[in-house]
Structures are given as C-alpha cells and as structure tokens.
Amino acid sequence: MGAALNRALRDAAAEDPDVVVYGEDVGALGGVFRVTDGLSREFGAERVFDSPLAESGIIGTAIGMAMYGLRPVVEMQFDAFAYPAFEQVVSHLAKMRNRTRGAVALPVVVRVPYGGGIGGVEHHSDSSEAYYTHTPGLRVVTPGTPADAYSMLREAIACDDPVVFLEPKRRYWSKEAVELPVRTEPMERSVVRRAGDDATLVVYGPMVETALEAAAVAAEEGRSLEVVDLRQLSPWDDSVVTASVRRTGRAVVVHEASVFGGYGAEVAARVGERCFHYLEAPVLRVGGLDVPYPPPKMEHLHLPGVDRILAAVDRLQWESEWVADAEGPGVGG
Amino acid sequence: MGAALNRALRDAAAEDPDVVVYGEDVGALGGVFRVTDGLSREFGAERVFDSPLAESGIIGTAIGMAMYGLRPVVEMQFDAFAYPAFEQVVSHLAKMRNRTRGAVALPVVVRVPYGGGIGGVEHHSDSSEAYYTHTPGLRVVTPGTPADAYSMLREAIACDDPVVFLEPKRRYWSKEAVELPVRTEPMERSVVRRAGDDATLVVYGPMVETALEAAAVAAEEGRSLEVVDLRQLSPWDDSVVTASVRRTGRAVVVHEASVFGGYGAEVAARVGERCFHYLEAPVLRVGGLDVPYPPPKMEHLHLPGVDRILAAVDRLQWESEWVADAEGPGVGG
Amino acid sequence: MDRHGHRVSHSSFTAPDHTRLADLHRAMVIGRRFNQQASTLARQGRLAVYPSSTGQEAAQVGGVLALGDQDWLFPTYRDSVALVTHGVDPVETLTLFRGDWHSGYDPHRYRCAPQCTPLATNASHAVGLTYAARRKGRDVAALAIMGDGATSEGDAHEAYNFAAVWNTPVVFLVQNNHWAISVPLHAQTAAPTLAHKAVGYGMRGYHVDGNDAAAVYAVVSHALAEARAGGGPAIVEALTYRVDPHTNSDAPQRYRDEAEVAYWTARDPLTRMAALIRREGVLGDEEETERALAAFDAEAEKVAAAVRDRLAGEDELDPASLFGDVYAEVPPLLREERQELVDGLRET
Amino acid sequence: MDRHGHRVSHSSFTAPDHTRLADLHRAMVIGRRFNQQASTLARQGRLAVYPSSTGQEAAQVGGVLALGDQDWLFPTYRDSVALVTHGVDPVETLTLFRGDWHSGYDPHRYRCAPQCTPLATNASHAVGLTYAARRKGRDVAALAIMGDGATSEGDAHEAYNFAAVWNTPVVFLVQNNHWAISVPLHAQTAAPTLAHKAVGYGMRGYHVDGNDAAAVYAVVSHALAEARAGGGPAIVEALTYRVDPHTNSDAPQRYRDEAEVAYWTARDPLTRMAALIRREGVLGDEEETERALAAFDAEAEKVAAAVRDRLAGEDELDPASLFGDVYAEVPPLLREERQELVDGLRET
Ligand SMILES: Cc1ncc(C[n+]2csc(CCOP(=O)(O)OP(=O)(O)O)c2C)c(N)n1
Ligand SMILES: Cc1ncc(C[n+]2csc(CCOP(=O)(O)OP(=O)(O)O)c2C)c(N)n1
Ligand SMILES: [Mg+2]
Ligand SMILES: [Mg+2]
C-alpha cells in the first residue's frame, strides 16, 4: 500500500502545482515509511520538504497555506504524534468552513499512519480514529487495499474538505498487485468486499484484510460472511451497512482501537437503531482491549485476529437460544 | 453547583497539605466561574495560584508534581482550551501507571467546565467527554447535582487515578439546597435519579436536570420514565443501566455532545448488546447536532431539551408497530 | 513621543508624516468610540460579550495602518479596532460577539482571518498563508496579533519558529497589555521583555511604546519592510494597557488596583496623539485643527450610530443554515438531521 | 579540551578533578560498549528497536554525573547511556526496546522518569517534580534531556517558561546532535545557537562542546548549583553528533554524507578524554593509566556480557498483567475483558 500512496502523491503533485507535501522527515528520507520517497527530488524542496518538528505548527501552517489556495498534504509521523496538533485539528481545521459560512475552505490532507501490528514501542500504534470521527467538519477516511489507497488519496487531495487520511501502517507492505493509476468507488461510499448471507462483518483500514481471511475460513466451515469495508468513517453514509445487515440479520464490527467508545460503538448503535427489527442477534464488537496499547510482545493479545472475529461470529445466537444476558458474552472480546 | 465545588476544593485542601490548585485565573480572580473563589487567600499562593497560560504545560507540570507526591487539581478554563493539552492527557496522564507497572500513580484532577447553554461564543461550549472516555487509564466523571459535585470532587481528589472532572458549566448556578459537606454514592456507581417503569433515560452532567424535567412532564402524560445518572463515564460499570433497561425494555440516551461517535454510542451499543432480548424498541440517542457547536443564538437548536427527549420517547414503538426502518426515525433527532 | 505627546529626539525608525499621523489619530478616535459603543451594547445585552480594547487603540491602529494592500491581518477577539481600521464592516466585526454566527465577515474579502479565540493558534496560519503567497509569486506580508498571555502557549513558539526557519514575512505584534485576564505579566514570563523572545528564533525583536501610535506605526512598518525584503519575520512587542475589564463579564477589582489603571489612563494614546497634533500643527493651524478633530469625532459618532441602528433590528436566523457549511456538500447524515430539525420546528 | 584532548587555557567553570575525570571516562567506556551491545542485539532481532547514542556519550555522562543524590533525571529514548550512568539496571533500560513492557524500571527507585518518546513532553514533568519537591522542603534538582529537534515542539517552550516563572531548579540539557532523524539543524531553527533560546525566558543559556565530557560536567554542575541556589533554571546546549543511524531501522545514507560522520568521528569524546587522561596522568603513571583503562574496558565488557546473558532467555509475559495497572483497581469492565482473554487463550 505504501507504493500506491507514493504514486498517488506523485500523480497529484504532477497534476496540480498547488499541492505541497511536508512534515517531519518527508523530504530526503522519504518519510520513516518511505511513503514520500523520491518526491522532494522530483518536485523540489519548495513543494516537498521537511518542516520543523512541531505537529501543531505543521497543521497550523497547512491551514494558512490552504487559506491562500495551496493544497497541503502533511504527514503526522505516527498516530500518537498527531496529538500535539489536536487543538489545531479540532478547533480550526474542522471548523473553518463553518465558522466563515463557507467563505474559507481548507483542502488539507492530514496523513496519519495509524494502528498497530508492526511491533512498535509505546506511542507508535494508536488507533485514534474515534477522536477525529466525533469531530464534525473533518472527513475521516481510511483505505483497506492498495487500490483504495491510491484512489482515495487522490480524492482526498482533490477534496475541498479537510481530510484526516488514516493509513493502516501494518499494510504498507501489503503487495496486492494493482495497476496504477486506478480509480475505485468514491470514498464516501462503503463497499462490499465479499458478499455473504449469514452475517455482516463491518471493518475498515487494517481490519479489511483480516476480515476477509476470517470470511474465507468461515466459508470453509459453511458460514457465509459478508464483509463491508467502510472507507469513509465520517461523515458516514450507513446505507451499505444497514442494507447488508437487514439482509443478513447479524453483524460484527471489528477494529483495532479499544472497544470502549470506539468507532464500533457508533456502528453498533446505528445498526441497532436502524436495523432493530431485522436483527437476529445483538451487534457484537471485536476490538482492542480497553487498556493502553500494549508493548510489542503483547500486541497480538490486543489486536483482533481471525480467531477472535470467528469467535464473535459464533456468539451470534445461531440456535436462536435465549441468552441470559447477565452472564452473556461480554463486549470487547 | 459552583459553590459546592468551591467547598469541596476548600475542604480537600484543608485536609491534605499535598493538594495544590492551579491554572489560568484560579488565584486572585477565583476562576472565570469563581469555582476557586477565596482559595488562594485561604491557602496561600504556593498552594493555589495562577500559572502561565499554557494548558499542555499545566498538565505536564501537574504530572511532575504528582510524581513527587502532590495531588494537583488543575483547571482548564473551558472545554476547548483543554485541547492543547491533549497529548499530555492521552500519552502521559492516562498511561503513566500502566507504563510503569503501577510504580507511578498520578493522582491529578483535571477540572474542565464543559458543555453549552450559557450563550458562549465559539470554543466555549464543547462537550468533549468522548475524547477522554475512549482513552483507557483516565477516569472521566461528571456530576449532575450540587451534592454530587461536592462528593465526587472530594472523591476525585482522593483518588489515585487521574480524573478528568467534567463540570457542566450551565449548572454552576443551579441552587438546589444542599447541606455541605455531603457524601453521596461512590462515583463509579450510576444512580437512579427517578424510578420509572416504561422507559429509561440515560443521562449525565448537564442533562440530568433536563431529563428529570422531561420525566416529570411524561408522568403527567401517564408515562413513567426512569432516569439514570451515569456519573462516572469511564471506566463505566453498566450494571445499573442494564438492570434498568431490562426492566423497562426501552431506553433513550441523552447528551449535549454531537451524536455521531458520542458517548451515547457506547451506551446504545452496550445496552443493545447486553439487553438485546429485553428491548421492545431500539435504543435511541438524543444529542447535539453533528455540526460544530453553533453560535449563541442558535445553541438552543443544538441542545437537547425536554421536547426532543419526549419526542424520542414517543418514538419508542409503544404500539409495537412495525417500523419500516428505511424511512424510520433518524439518529440524532 | 513622550507621555505628554512631545516628539522625542531621535529614533532609527522613520516617523510617519503628517497625513499618516492624521490617519492614525482618526482611526484611534473611531476605534475608541467603537469600543465604547460595543461595550454599551454588551451592557444592554445586545451583544453576548465584548472584549474591549480601550487603551490599546494605538497598538492596533499603528499596526494595521502599516499593512500594505496585499497584506493580511490575523487578529484575536481583542482586536475589533484593528479590524475596523483594516476596513472590515463594523457590524460584521461584531457578529461573533452578537452571537449570530462565528466569523461575521468573509476573510478573503478583507484579507483578514477570523477573530481568533484559542490563544496563539492563528499565528501559524499567518506563517502558512505568507508561505503560500510567496509560492504563488505574490508579495504578501502578514500581521499576526497576540496578547502577552498568548506568548506562553506552545503555538506561539511553533509559529515563531516556523516563520523564522521559512523566512516568511510575518510580523508578530504582541500587545502586552500587562494582563491575561487576571494574570499579571510576572506570572507569565521571567523574560526581560517579550521582544527578547525573538532572540531564540534568530529573528528581530522590537520593543515599542504601544500607546504611541506613531511609534507603533513606524516600527511595524520597518519590520514589515525588512520582512518583505527577505530579512525575516519579527516580534514587535507593544507595551500598552487594557483599561476596561477583560470583557464585560470580568471583575477587575478582584485583581488590580485602580492606581494602576490611573497610571495608564494618564498615558492615554488618544490624548497623547491629540496633544502632538495640536502642538505640531499636524492638521493645520489651530482652527483647522479643531475643525478636523471635531470631524473625526463626528465620523466616529456616525460609525457608532450606524452600528446601533444596524444592530437594533432582530436577527434573521435560519436553523437550516447550521448544516450548510460543515462540509463542501451536505452529507446524507446531515441532510437527515436538517430535515428532522426543520420538521420538529414546524411541529412546535 | 580541544579536539585532541588538550586542556584549553581558561574557563569560568570549575574543571572536574582527576577522580571525576576518571569517572567520566569510565562511564563513557561503559556507555559506548552498552550502545554497541544494544545495537547488536537490535540487529539480531533481540530488541525491537534501538536508538544508539554512540558519539553522544560525553553529553549524557557529563550531564548525569553532575546530578546530586536527590536529583532526578528525565531522559528520552536516546539516553540509555545516561540511564546506565545514573544507575538504572542496564537490562531494565532495555525493556522498552525489547518490547516486554514500556518502562522497565521503577522511576522512584532510580529517581529517573520513564524514557520519553513523545518529544519534549517530559520537560514539564521535571518542572512539576522540582516544584513539588520544593514544596515538600526537599533539595531536588532535575536534568531534563531533549534533542535539537525536540526544541521545536510547543512543549519545550512551555516547560522552559514554567521553569523560569516558577524558578524551579531544572537544567534542560539539549543534546544537539545536528539531526532530528533526517532533518538537519538549519531546517529546525534559525537561532544562532539553541542556547540562545534561554534569553526569551529570562534564564541562563550555556553552549558547550558536547563531546567534551569534562566541559559538559563542569557546565551542568555549575548550572545545577546556580539553579539550586535559586538562580533559576538553565538551558545547556551540548553540541555533539549522532554517529550511528537514528535507530537500527534508519537509512542515514539517504540524508547525510559520510564526510560529516568522519568529521565527528575525529572528535570522538572517548578518544579525546583518553588522550587527556594519558597526557595529564589523570590515572597515574603510564603503567597505572593503561591498567586502569584496561580495567574500564573489562568492566564494560562485563556489563555487555551480563546484558547479553540476561536477555538470552525467553521472556515470561503474563497476558493478565495487561489489565493490572490501568487503574488503581481493576474496574468491572476490565475484569470481564481479562477473564475473556484468559478464557480465550485457554481454549486455543
Ligand atoms: C488556548 C486558550 N486557553 C485559554 C483561553 C481563555 N482565555 C481567553 S482570553 C485569555 C487571556 C488572554 O490574555 P492575553 O493573551 O494577554 O490577551 P488579552 O486578553 O490581554 O488581550 C484566556 C486565558 C483561550 N481563549 N484559549
Ligand atoms: C511529538 C513527537 N513527534 C514526532 C516523533 C517522532 N520522532 C521520534 S525521534 C524524532 C526526531 C527527534 O530528533 P531530536 O529531538 O533531535 O532527538 P534525537 O533523535 O536526535 O536524539 C522524531 C521526529 C515523536 N517521537 N514525538
Ligand atoms: Mg494581555
Ligand atoms: Mg537530534
């Protein structure tokens, strides 16, 4: 996926001279994940460059640039290192259009490598999407495949809204063969990655691949799981998911972030409300534990894998048994 | 409630010389809401004082103080002005105990006047609880009554966990007569503020009073609503709420924050999962619109009031009619 | 200028000519009146809140009039006088405080960012904007205003540093009015002056009498010219005083002495400039001078009256407008919510 | 000391005596060996990552040995040598990088905060801690270490300012190793030196040869003594160089020349100190000197061997421990999750 993102940045910069790319180490080094590799050489240090090491300043200057017609694409080196910029993101980036009755648009893309699975030490593996998706005015998107990575980043850069572009860092090295450039569905639309009838897995970003593996295993066991990849998390158009769940009657939401107050809560709440009479079982959530992100040697305990997903699917009351909720399945398994 | 908080600070400081209170304008001025009124005179400028104007520095120094045995109680002047400290809160305050295997506890209380309803201009009325409740390691509490304000703040200061203490600023002036000092239920326990049989209103902070009003009106109309005040939002013990909903079969969660990805999503998701077979209707959410907090003259459109709460209650499928979800009631009404 | 409005001997900066001095005074007179009018409206409850800058007119007017035609202003909530001087419609300046909307004006139209409340956060916007303008081949500088308290925020530091490293033409005008609400300067910094902060960024720092509009104008003009010429950004600290409460809901008697206010009132920027104008015949002979000064007052009255009139009516607020500019297009979620809101309002 | 280890004539700081010089060298030798050993372990995959500080030993050792018995250290991820010198168990120093847990040691036991990754964020912790100690009547100073890049963060600014305003005894040791990963100093700041930043806070700033352990020791000792005496905090910029890659997964050939590395290798802190020790007979006559130096090497080997041995075994990791220290008590939600996790693991 890293290569697709790199190509998207290059193509966008080549097409539009207003695109500038900056952040920490995005210049000569090409970013710590090499997503900006070669760009400063190709487009020059005025357009692709290293900034001082200050995330709030990075977002703040990007806001100013966008006010004067540039389309900055900035990188936060890791999820947790975007927190210093939280005020700029929440109080300015998200609100500027609204504050000015539409007079000032901020076409800024904030690229954030997020999530775990790469053995990173503390502060390098946060799934911070819920902080952004609860903030009106931001578009929050996350690709699950290399093709989407390319297409959605192009769209994000072309978009007149500020976009928090969450890159599932553990998938940077995923090598699905795609011919680039490629255009996929518009990013605001969720897509069915695999059709199925028995239950719906709702996923995004790093969990798309995991859910597809789970669905493959389930298929062997005779259970047909539909996998919906959300893509744009906010603002969210729930129609694809609700249509799917109305058909299957069962749903499991999966993400890496801690379950409590995570994005999955919104999905579960909304599906619970909109598909109430179609549900054969409660909407279950599978996600990270409600603890600080664990150290590298324990992250596998935190991250949802095929097993935990299938275990949740198994708990979807297939026998129509009456589950005594008091001792019933917990949340966050 | 402001007076109760003031008294709680005074009593805590009088009892424990390790309690220090600081922040912007908490000294001579007594805070912009006068919650710290008189404290610097009483306890001296070494214990109650104005700090430089820098929220990240305020939380950062409080962390350092707590490492050496003090119990700092710091004030963020308004909700949105706590965002500059987000990194300190999420990456340090919340995690220090865990990072050090329990060796370093951080008994810090971060007081945050939050929410709207006071006609504040932009950035003065955010309901930021969901940002904190999704962060393991923080205790997030919010009182709904003056008695709880006193009791919970005393508990928060005595607590060895970092506490984000959210003060519903529109209730500072609420004048319920309470004799202080008072001790109420432990803060981690949700309480039933009004018993009822037909549906459960799940609320906290500023919405407690509003929900009680709504329940009173509903009672006149012959509908018996139970009102549960959550008090500690995280970590959340859902047992009081789930027991209530299992009995009533219906629930509405109400908060001021924007609905999408708000705390109500967690409540709805969890209740949906744990009370699935008891629910007569979907769990509904009533909250702020999914837009940036509106200007003073329009905030009444954003904030849930008695009418919107009762309208949601009315939609709880009392006739057991089959609701065509496709055109059914939206979320966030 | 000394505190009685005598021109002091020498300065390395170019003093403004007579026309400029007249402009400065005129803008201060209008600004002062505007502050009074807005404060009155706040007291009457016609504004939700108003942060007056009475006493600080010289700093704002001197800074803003130094700007060129392409240049941008990045103001705070305190800077209504700067806005009005910069040409923003006075009523649009008050929209934020009236509570009708957030920013009342189109920033592009006036080359003026929205009034900024989260302290020090728009300083980096100024840096980015001037960077972008340079890339687009335009000669645009910016004046970013902040208070003494705001300099303590990390965002001030980051903005200074980005500006210095990128060498963008931004002048950071620090209005040191000695108080951040109730917090005095000595609880804010231990630096000899706030202008000294410039040293740590490798930029120039200027310390100027902020109650001397001519001096502020001269120094900011100089700093802008240098910045434009590639000499880098600068911090200009304008030493001044907030004579009124922080906002109409503040209680300054809790934290400061009347004597301090009196000290500064005796150094009032308008009185000083009027004295200089009279002494030096800036506006002509005595009769011409008094006529011109009276005309400034009359103009200020007119501005105030227009503000009063235009704010007298009730606001037309459209609930549906809440949803319009959250995103470039209204997404399905918000379309639903808008519908529900409108339906709900129709019912009641 | 010049780059060949000649003592230079005069300095206003007190030069360390022979015993101290020996301590400094000994600690550097151990530190260097530790860096090498840890880098090897990282290459072998026995550590998840290791940020080596080879080349920076003088700055770390000089800073830490200046600390008194009650004083605290606030290190970054780069400062393993500082930790080991400060007395932290070398294996506990590596826990973070091994990936067993976050902080491997009890901060209270060693008066040493956890290694800090979010840049500049622990500087304010140092300010708060020393404030608290003063309130409790204890004479505690702190050394807060940060890199050149970290000085750009708002948190650095806020910590400097709080320390200066509160007059807490913190010495901010800025290890200017010329690079923040791939970003060179000139993209980080336009200041003449990072020590100049002190001016804007009203505190003292010192610029010292960070590859001269004696100089760092002398300057930090002086700054700590002044701070303790109420003279306020200080910034000490130690000019040094990161000879190794940023971490084992960095690719320095992408951003810097070998020539630059060679320049700095020629100014290696250990070589210089060894030269001085030999020239001045710090450790006695020639024979005694060589014997003592060899003993340092041997001790360093022992430390390295112990680290290797102790890291050779497999880790005992208890999944349930993930839940234990999130809160003072395990709340119901986490008790459920812990149970589920344990049950789930039992099944598989
Ligand atoms: C980030 C942030 N923190 C706190 C506040 C609340 N606040 C509003 S004005 C003010 C004082 C500002 O002082 P100063 O910068 O000196 O400006 P002045 O009001 O004196 O013009 C404070 C603390 C804020 N607006 N933004
Ligand atoms: C807030 C934050 N942003 C980004 C990073 C990612 N990061 C880790 S080290 C580093 C460079 C730090 O440079 P410097 O402060 O000079 O220290 P050095 O590594 O040279 O010792 C960066 C950008 C981080 N750890 N924290
Ligand atoms: Mg001020
Ligand atoms: Mg460095």
Side-chain angles (χ1 to χ4, degrees), chain B residues 202-240:
Chain B
V202 183
V203 290
Y204 53 88
M207 286 294 103
V208 173
E209 203 174 305
T210 312
L212 289 170
E213 284 173 44
V217 174
E220 287 169 27
E221 295 169 0
R223 213 163 251 163
S224 161
L225 302 182
E226 180 144 310
V227 177
V228 180
D229 176 357
L230 296 181
R231 307 169 81 244
Q232 179 166 300
L233 305 184
S234 179
W236 185 39
D237 178 353
D238 60 42
S239 55
V240 172

Side-chain angles (χ1 to χ4, degrees), chain C residues 34 37-38 41 46-47 50 80 83-84 87-105 110 115 302-313 315:
Chain C
F34 183 83
Q37 181 59 65
L41 289 166
R46 296 204 63 81
L47 296 180
Y50 186 71
S80 295
L83 292 176
V84 171
V88 177
D89 179 326
V91 168
E92 293 178 10
T93 292
L94 293 176
T95 304
L96 173 69
F97 305 120
R98 194 182 186 196
D100 290 2
W101 198 254
H102 309 298
S103 177
Y105 50 90
Y110 299 110
Q115 291 136 301
K302 244 195 193 145
V303 170
V307 166
R308 270 195 316 271
D309 287 354
R310 290 170 62 201
L311 290 185
D315 325 287

Side-chain angles (χ1 to χ4, degrees), chain A residues 24-25 53 55 77-78 80-81 84 124, chain B residues 87, chain D residues 56 76-78 117-119 146-151 153 175 177 179-181 242 246:
Chain A
E24 296 154 11
D25 304 292
L53 210 172
E55 293 78 11
Q77 196 160 87
F78 284 84
F81 307 144
H124 287 79
Chain B
E87 182 186 33
Chain D
Q56 302 181 215
T76 78
Y77 53 88
R78 174 82 58 216
T117 295
L119 294 164
M146 64 176 73
D148 45 302
T151 65
E153 291 279 6
Q175 288 186 76
N177 64 6
W179 292 93
I181 309 187
R242 162 171 63 71
H246 174 71

Side-chain angles (χ1 to χ4, degrees), chain B residues 23-30 32 34 37-38 41 50-56 77 80-81 84 119 121-124 259-260 288-298 301-302 307-308 315 329-333, chain C residues 46 48-49 96-103 114-115 117-119 149-150 152-154 180-184 187-188 249-252 254-255 314-315 317-319 321-323 326-327 333-334 336-337 340-341 345 348:
Chain B
E24 296 155 11
D25 304 293
V26 304
L29 184 62
V32 295
R34 308 291 183 270
D37 192 22
R41 218 175 317 117
D50 295 329
S51 70
L53 212 173
E55 294 78 9
S56 189
Q77 198 161 87
F81 307 143
V121 299
E122 55 176 0
H123 313 295
H124 287 79
V259 167
F260 195 87
L289 309 169
D290 290 305
V291 306
Y293 198 90
K297 292 202 180 146
M298 303 227 246
L301 299 166
H302 180 76
D307 284 355
R308 279 173 63 205
R315 292 205 315 271
V331 169
Chain C
R46 296 204 63 81
V49 66
L96 173 69
F97 305 120
R98 194 182 186 196
D100 290 2
W101 198 254
H102 309 298
S103 177
Q115 291 136 301
T117 294
L119 295 164
S152 295
E153 290 279 5
I181 311 185
S182 70
V183 182
Q188 208 62 255
S249 64
D250 186 30
R254 283 178 167 247
Y255 56 80
E314 266 317 301
D315 325 287
L317 298 170
D318 174 13
S321 74
L322 285 173
F323 302 89
V326 183
Y327 298 96
L333 172 74
L334 290 187
E336 277 177 43
E337 287 188 13
E340 252 181 79
L341 180 73
L345 290 172
T348 53

Side-chain angles (χ1 to χ4, degrees), chain D residues 144-164:
Chain D
I145 312 188
M146 64 176 73
D148 45 302
T151 65
S152 295
E153 291 279 6
D155 269 30
H157 167 75
E158 298 189 10
Y160 299 160
N161 192 46
F162 273 72

Side-chain angles (χ1 to χ4, degrees), chain A residues 232-250:
Chain A
Q232 179 166 300
L233 305 184
S234 177
W236 184 38
D237 179 352
D238 60 42
S239 55
V240 172
V241 167
T242 47
S244 171
V245 178
R246 283 186 192 135
R247 210 164 34 70
T248 61
R250 290 179 169 84

Side-chain angles (χ1 to χ4, degrees), chain A residues 18 38 44 49 75 89 114 118 124 137 162 184 211 217 220 278 280 305 332:
Chain A
D18 286 335
F49 53 95
E75 177 174 305
V89 170
Y114 82 119
I118 64 159
H124 287 79
T184 58
V217 175
E220 287 169 27
Y278 302 87
E280 308 280 346

